[in-house]
């Protein structure tokens, strides 16, 4: 089983929508609640999915995850629920961190323990907790943990 990471192509849109929409339900269920769910088609512009770089993970030629980031923050990380705990998130994170020019931050919703464990397994550490409007559906309140990764040479 080899996970390949490559740049997003427009032809990946249908697959990343499917992955986001399935995984977002798993993300919201133990955190904010399913009432806060919005499809990727409804939120990607407001949340600036394409403001930085977007990468997809492929397993045996199938898109199974995607990650987006800018120079300082990982803004999206989603894995197809059928491929949880198979190293997809870790591979995408390592891909981004191997190219990072400095520290990287991200936020994970309180209650999303599997995602937080994945981030911590590649070296992210908790730096704070905040409560505010849920990104993508601002009519809901959410608590998020800020995690930070610092390159070994810093």
């Amino acid at each position: 089983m080899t996970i390949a990471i490559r740049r997003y192509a427009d032809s990946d849109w249908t697959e990343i929508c499917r992955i986001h929409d399935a995984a977002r339900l798993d993300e919201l269920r133990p955190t904010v609640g399913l009432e806060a769910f919005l499809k990727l088609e409804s939120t990607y512009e407001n949340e600036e999915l394409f403001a930085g770089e977007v990468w997809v993970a492929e397993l045996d030629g199938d898109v199974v995850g995607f990650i987006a980031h800018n120079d300082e923050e990982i803004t999206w990380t989603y894995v197809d629920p059928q491929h949880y705990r198979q190293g997809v998130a870790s591979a995408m994170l390592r891909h981004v961190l191997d190219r990072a020019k400095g520290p990287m931050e991200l936020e994970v919703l309180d209650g999303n323990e599997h995602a937080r464990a994945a981030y911590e397994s590649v070296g992210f550490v908790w730096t704070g907790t905040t409560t505010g409007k849920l990104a993508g559906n601002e009519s809901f309140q959410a608590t998020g943990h800020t995690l930070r990764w610092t390159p070994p040479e810093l």
Side-chain angles (χ1 to χ4, degrees):
M1 172 171 83
T2 302
I3 300 166
I5 310 297
R6 64 167 173 79
R7 286 193 183 276
Y8 168 85
D10 290 342
S11 58
D12 297 320
W13 177 248
T14 300
E15 283 303 293
I16 72 164
C17 284
R18 180 189 62 76
I19 290 165
H20 170 274
D21 293 354
R24 182 71 168 167
L25 291 171
D26 289 343
E27 177 185 21
L28 293 174
R29 191 173 287 112
T31 59
V32 180
L34 296 180
E35 305 79 27
F37 174 75
L38 293 173
K39 292 183 173 216
L40 182 61
E41 293 173 309
S42 302
T43 63
Y44 80 96
E45 288 179 315
N46 186 43
E47 289 189 66
E48 300 180 329
L49 171 61
F50 296 108
E53 294 184 35
V54 181
W55 302 87
V56 297
E58 287 185 328
L59 183 60
D60 300 327
D62 296 324
V63 175
V64 295
F66 71 97
I67 190 167
H69 67 93
N70 57 40
D71 290 341
E72 300 169 349
E73 182 181 20
I74 294 175
T75 52
W76 300 72
T77 308
Y78 285 97
V79 174
D80 184 331
Q82 295 179 4
H83 296 283
Y84 286 169
R85 295 173 199 65
Q86 295 179 10
V88 176
S90 294
M92 293 188 303
L93 290 164
R94 281 192 302 274
H95 179 84
V96 170
L97 298 177
D98 286 349
R99 289 157 181 72
K101 301 198 183 336
M104 297 290 284
E105 286 191 343
L106 57 81
E107 287 200 8
V108 62
L109 289 174
D110 184 48
N112 192 353
E113 298 308 319
H114 292 295
R116 184 171 174 175
Y119 297 131
E120 290 175 343
S121 76
V122 297
F124 279 88
V125 295
W126 174 86
T127 60
T129 300
T130 57
T131 298
K133 294 181 179 195
L134 176 66
N137 192 345
E138 289 75 18
S139 61
F140 287 84
Q141 285 280 104
T143 298
H145 303 291
T146 302
L147 303 177
R148 182 178 176 90
W149 174 85
T150 304
E153 63 274 3
L154 291 183

